[in-house]
Amino acid sequence: MLSKHPKGLIPAALANMGERFGFYTMMAILTLFLMSKFNISGTEAGVLYSIFYGAIYVLALVGGAIADRTQNYKGTIIAGLIIMATGYVLLAMPVLITTKYIALAALLVIAFGNGLFKGNLQALVGQMYDNDEYRSKRDSGFQIFYMFINIGAMFAPFLATWVRNTFVRMQGFEYNAEAPGLCHQFLDGKMAEDVVAGRFTELATTVSNGNVPANLTDFANNYLEAFNTGFHYAFLTAVVAMSISLLIFLLTKRILPNPKSKVKSTNNISAEEIKQDAREIKQRIYALLAVFGVVIFFWFSFHQNGLTLTMFAKDYTLLGGVFNSVEIFQSINPFLVVFLTPLVIAIFSALARKGKEPSTPKKIAIGMGIAASAFALMSIGSLGLPLFKDVEAMGGLPDAERITPWLLFATYFILTIAELFISPLGLSFVSKVAPQHMQGLMQGGWLTATAIGNSSLFLGAMMYENISISVTWTVFVTVCVISMLVMLAMVNWLERVAK
């Protein structure tokens, strides 16, 4: 699988593992941390989550512009890693993060570092495939890159959860996903008396290792302190991952391409050739903008995995066995990326040998259809579930009424296949079509499209907390189907531009 690929591919992917580790740490715990730490609703947490995830990607446009202007891609990448690590250190300090606005400021530090790093490293990977020796391997190269960067992401939720739960146990408590919300509900005086005497007292006893708390107010405050402080320390795992990525990049950067050496001379080019080049560049930019517009809706749907799908795991899913923690579900996607990528590459390679491999734009359209089927499964599986406000009023859904965790597993499985059709191949398409002098900027454009989708994520949380759960998932089905149809309508034009 790795034969006939440039030698810088794997070092670049390994250098990206730290960023993915941090990303999936956030995917696993950020929403839960914000709700528990600051006693805010899922919708409020969703707004902060959307701002952060939108900023991560829109700042990639800024990072791409900086690298393109200075032609110092490697220096920009190094600065990004250092700034990201600084942001995670800030989040790990309980005495500093005392309000949601300070937390947001620390998150934006991470986002800025990510903006300097992410798109520019992807641009370097694309430049490895600009010569004739590797050009035909571009799609599979980005798939391999995508597979390797997700290795770190597989372990992030496990390690972050282990750190949090270990600290909670050191304070004399056990982990329970529902406990923080119920503690806040009790302290705010919004809990019915029968829930206090029944469900809440029972849960307090369980997480206190069988000891009935003498004072429920003291219990609630102490549990929240332990739970939230454990979350803070969990962010330190991302700092370690960033440090490893920085070390790998510093040791291997000399074998990565240097854009400064790729500047071409413009001597002896006629005015007609310049006009022709200008027309081609304009068509390429239009094509990229069209694809960016479509994938906005994929990321709006896909990145619900760290928001509404995480909330669903907490509120409606029966935890236990392999899935004994809400955060563990976030390991499914990177695990499947790593193990399904070779299969997807093998299928596309077999089709290519027969001359039947779909074009990259067609693969993206197919991916949108696959994503729609994932949310259709969630919609069917959620039929008959009570509204979120009713679950909240009863102090949590009884285990007998909760949904099997395998529904979420199947959904993540399908969404991962969709992701493999869209994300690495989209990066490949951008690197193939983007004008040479705009590689960093156009990779930033792809990430900006992701940012726009991410900035709308909170709409999912609003629907989740106010309307039928099944209808909420149906909205995402509709969005993905429409995007698929639009992409299919543009396939012929996009294929012509990409040639």
Side-chain angles (χ1 to χ4, degrees):
M1 186 174 68
L2 298 178
S3 63
K4 299 181 181 178
H5 285 278
K7 62 181 180 179
L9 178 62
I10 300 306
L14 294 176
N16 205 157
M17 277 174 47
E19 182 272 336
R20 285 288 89 183
F21 186 100
F23 186 92
Y24 274 85
T25 297
M26 289 300 198
M27 194 77 75
I29 68 177
L30 181 58
T31 298
L32 302 173
F33 166 72
L34 293 171
M35 294 174 71
S36 177
K37 175 77 175 182
F38 303 114
N39 188 21
I40 58 179
S41 67
T43 299
E44 291 177 280
V47 171
L48 295 175
Y49 181 93
S50 297
I51 292 171
F52 171 58
Y53 276 99
I56 278 181
Y57 291 95
V58 77
L59 287 172
L61 189 63
V62 177
I66 290 172
D68 282 339
R69 186 172 183 82
T70 64
Q71 288 292 288
N72 187 5
Y73 283 70
K74 296 175 184 177
T76 307
I77 288 168
I78 291 169
L81 282 167
I82 293 171
I83 293 171
M84 276 192 285
T86 302
Y88 283 110
V89 169
L90 296 176
L91 277 182
M93 301 169 64
V95 295
L96 175 65
I97 309 299
T98 54
T99 72
K100 60 186 179 182
Y101 301 108
I102 298 175
L104 180 59
L107 291 170
L108 291 177
V109 171
I110 297 171
F112 179 62
N114 204 305
L116 295 175
F117 172 84
K118 191 177 181 67
N120 291 316
L121 185 63
Q122 292 169 356
L124 290 186
V125 173
Q127 288 165 5
M128 295 179 198
Y129 291 87
D130 282 346
N131 62 57
D132 292 335
E133 181 181 358
Y134 302 119
R135 198 180 305 276
S136 64
K137 295 284 186 179
R138 187 185 297 268
D139 276 6
S140 62
F142 269 94
Q143 288 172 316
I144 293 168
F145 175 76
Y146 205 71
M147 178 184 76
F148 271 89
I149 68 175
N150 275 279
I151 291 174
M154 282 195 303
F155 302 105
F158 288 101
L159 288 175
T161 301
W162 177 80
V163 170
R164 194 269 319 279
N165 290 354
T166 298
F167 185 82
V168 169
R169 282 193 293 271
M170 289 170 63
Q171 310 309 305
F173 299 113
E174 290 296 326
Y175 162 81
N176 184 280
E178 293 181 274
L182 292 176
C183 286
H184 281 302
Q185 193 177 350
F186 173 77
L187 292 172
D188 291 343
K190 297 178 180 178
M191 185 175 284
E193 287 298 325
D194 60 322
V195 177
V196 173
R199 172 74 172 144
F200 186 58
T201 299
E202 178 186 338
L203 183 144
T205 302
T206 300
V207 301
S208 301
N209 298 303
N211 301 312
V212 181
N215 186 302
L216 286 175
T217 300
D218 289 342
F219 158 77
N221 284 315
N222 292 337
Y223 190 85
L224 285 171
E225 179 69 21
F227 200 81
N228 295 335
T229 303
F231 266 136
H232 280 290
Y233 294 154
F235 290 119
L236 289 174
T237 59
V239 178
V240 175
M242 293 294 168
S243 301
I244 295 172
S245 280
L246 178 60
L247 178 62
I248 291 172
F249 188 79
L250 290 173
L251 292 175
T252 61
K253 66 175 183 173
R254 65 183 178 276
I255 66 175
L256 297 176
N258 185 357
K260 289 182 180 179
S261 65
K262 295 205 170 192
V263 177
K264 296 182 179 180
S265 171
T266 58
N267 294 335
N268 302 318
I269 297 178
S270 68
E272 185 61 33
E273 287 175 313
I274 292 174
K275 289 180 181 179
Q276 187 174 3
D277 286 345
R279 285 195 295 270
E280 181 184 347
I281 288 172
K282 187 179 293 186
Q283 282 297 307
R284 286 170 176 262
I285 292 173
Y286 287 158
L288 289 172
L289 291 176
V291 173
F292 295 163
V294 170
V295 299
I296 285 171
F297 299 100
F298 172 73
W299 295 119
F300 166 61
S301 304
F302 179 81
H303 278 152
Q304 295 295 327
N305 53 1
L307 188 58
T308 52
L309 289 172
T310 292
M311 293 163 67
F312 186 87
K314 176 174 68 74
D315 299 324
Y316 292 97
T317 303
L318 182 63
L319 301 179
V322 177
F323 307 107
N324 59 359
S325 172
V326 171
E327 296 85 353
I328 298 304
F329 287 98
Q330 295 309 320
S331 290
I332 297 172
N333 171 248
F335 177 85
L336 292 173
V337 167
V338 171
F339 288 96
L340 289 178
T341 295
L343 177 61
V344 172
I345 291 175
I347 292 172
F348 286 152
S349 296
L351 290 173
R353 286 192 295 270
K354 297 177 181 179
K356 296 181 179 180
E357 183 182 10
S359 65
T360 301
K362 197 168 292 184
K363 290 174 185 174
I364 293 174
I366 294 169
M368 295 301 303
I370 295 171
S373 69
F375 285 103
L377 178 64
M378 281 298 297
S379 182
I380 294 169
S382 301
L383 289 172
L385 288 176
L387 295 174
F388 171 76
K389 63 181 180 180
D390 295 331
V391 172
E392 193 175 34
M394 68 177 72
L397 198 64
D399 286 353
E401 298 179 33
R402 287 176 175 261
I403 299 296
T404 173
W406 294 104
L407 174 64
L408 277 176
F409 179 86
T411 299
Y412 281 120
F413 184 93
I414 299 169
L415 282 174
T416 300
I417 296 174
E419 181 187 11
L420 292 176
F421 272 73
I422 294 173
S423 189
L425 299 178
L427 296 175
S428 172
F429 184 77
V430 173
S431 74
K432 183 189 304 182
V433 175
Q436 186 62 43
H437 67 288
M438 300 177 70
Q439 280 287 326
L441 186 62
M442 289 297 101
Q443 289 288 350
W446 168 268
L447 298 174
T448 300
T450 311
I452 297 171
N454 287 349
S455 298
S456 306
L457 291 172
F458 71 94
L459 297 174
M462 289 178 62
M463 292 186 290
Y464 179 94
E465 292 189 334
N466 292 285
I467 65 174
S468 160
I469 301 299
S470 184
V471 172
T472 297
W473 308 133
T474 302
V475 171
F476 296 113
V477 174
T478 304
V479 165
C480 290
V481 168
I482 292 173
S483 299
M484 176 190 69
L485 295 174
V486 171
M487 193 69 187
L488 287 173
M490 299 190 298
V491 160
N492 291 338
W493 168 54
L494 293 172
E495 289 174 347
R496 286 197 304 273
V497 173
K499 287 182 179 178

